[in-house]
Amino acid sequence: MSLMKSLARVAAGVMLAKGLGSMMQQQQSRSGQGSHRTGGGILGDLMNAGSRRGGSGGLNDILGQVLGGRSGGAGTGQPYGGPNSRGASGGLGGILDNLTRNAGGSRGTSGGYGQGGGLLGGLAGGAAAGGLGGLLGGILNGPAQRGAQANNDATFGEVFNDAVVRQDEPEVAPTPEQNAVAGLMLRAMIQAAKADGKIDEGERERLLGQLGDLDDDDRDFIRQQMAAPVDAQALAREVPKGLEAQVYLMSLMAIDFDSREEAEYLHSLADAMGIDRATTNQIHEQVGVQNLYS
């Protein structure tokens, strides 16, 4: 079972419990009151999708369709665009791929294709040379090998979107490098969800209960991340150059933005990864939540 499937399950579970799903429920009960939204973005797509469906379909299904780029508001791209695709064209995967392109990646060199070049190729090379340590090196040399294939022609965003919609293994198996990045993003989301100090043991077990048929190794990995202390600086040190904005985005998705502790955590993480204030606010606008900086 791949870490990409685990990320899709955790993303949906965390967001239902604490992140955008929580914000969406708050928005539905706050007509005419103050809002978390800056307008548009993924949160806007979720609200629009919920309004169109009325009472039909659960929040989990709406999240899957919007985050996976299968709703009209979030994008209408196919799950895999083929060898000439620029990447995912909608949903959360589309934003991730766009951030990767902005960091200097391209289809042949970057971000998520698992063909030995660019950001993810650098992960493989670092591991082979014994120079990739810490969390990411341990993931790449261990859990990232499960459910993986050596190469594919899909971006990280395309594989992730498909896994989110399916809530299962994606049609195209991820590479070990894509799985390793999924593992890093799992850690980022879980750290952010704990930033306000409100995930107790009961909430941990409820979250794990939403993860479905993950195998014992994946559950153990997630439990380890839940037990780890919240440390934005330590997480930042694990993030390879070029993946800072993507890790920040996934962290933001796990926060419902109703406490000072969460804002302070996001500031510490952005600062430790060297993301400037304008870029940070741009990421917030793509999600559709209030800016971190005025």
Side-chain angles (χ1 to χ4, degrees), residues 67-78:
L67 297 180
R70 304 294 178 85
S71 72
T76 55
Q78 297 300 312

Side-chain angles (χ1 to χ4, degrees), residues 20-290:
L20 289 185
S22 173
M23 284 191 191
M24 182 179 174
Q25 291 171 329
Q26 292 171 25
Q27 291 289 336
Q28 289 171 336
S29 64
R30 285 185 181 181
S31 60
Q33 298 183 21
S35 170
H36 289 284
R37 291 180 60 193
T38 58
I42 287 180
L43 180 57
D45 292 336
L46 282 168
M47 295 298 297
N48 292 336
S51 298
R52 287 194 301 268
R53 292 189 180 208
S56 66
L59 182 55
N60 198 2
D61 181 50
I62 295 172
L63 272 172
Q65 293 297 309
V66 171
L67 297 180
R70 304 294 178 85
S71 72
T76 55
Q78 297 300 312
Y80 300 102
N84 297 317
S85 169
R86 285 178 55 80
S89 60
L92 187 52
I95 299 177
L96 288 166
D97 279 352
N98 186 57
L99 291 172
T100 298
R101 286 194 296 271
N102 291 343
S106 65
R107 181 164 191 93
T109 62
S110 80
Y113 287 88
Q115 294 181 345
L119 300 179
L120 299 191
L123 298 186
L132 191 64
L135 175 79
L136 201 54
I139 295 173
L140 187 57
N141 292 312
Q145 302 297 322
R146 296 197 301 271
Q149 60 178 328
N151 298 288
N152 64 35
D153 66 353
T155 63
F156 183 94
E158 288 173 330
V159 178
F160 174 72
N161 274 2
D162 196 28
V164 168
V165 171
R166 291 169 177 264
Q167 283 296 291
D168 205 338
E169 295 291 353
E171 179 183 350
V172 173
T175 66
E177 294 77 30
Q178 289 170 336
N179 269 339
V181 172
L184 180 64
M185 291 181 176
L186 270 170
R187 180 182 180 186
M189 292 196 78
I190 293 170
Q191 285 264 315
K194 298 190 299 179
D196 61 358
K198 293 180 181 177
I199 289 189
D200 58 25
E201 187 59 35
E203 288 171 321
R204 288 190 186 96
E205 291 307 313
R206 284 195 295 275
L207 174 58
L208 286 168
Q210 292 178 351
L211 300 183
D213 60 344
L214 297 184
D215 60 30
D216 289 342
D217 289 336
D218 286 337
R219 286 179 178 273
D220 287 345
F221 177 80
I222 293 167
R223 284 193 177 96
Q224 289 170 12
Q225 301 313 309
M226 286 182 172
V230 176
D231 189 336
Q233 285 73 29
L235 174 61
R237 288 193 294 269
E238 301 283 358
V239 178
K241 185 172 178 58
L243 289 176
E244 297 91 348
Q246 298 91 314
V247 168
Y248 184 89
L249 169 67
M250 296 303 287
S251 301
L252 179 60
M253 299 295 287
I255 281 179
D256 49 22
F257 235 122
D258 62 355
S259 75
R260 181 178 181 85
E261 290 85 357
E262 290 173 329
E264 289 174 345
Y265 175 81
L266 289 174
H267 168 71
S268 295
L269 182 62
D271 186 62
M273 293 193 297
I275 303 175
D276 62 48
R277 294 190 173 199
T279 301
T280 299
N281 281 347
Q282 288 171 5
I283 296 171
H284 283 236
E285 288 163 5
Q286 290 183 79
V287 175
V289 297
Q290 68 188 53

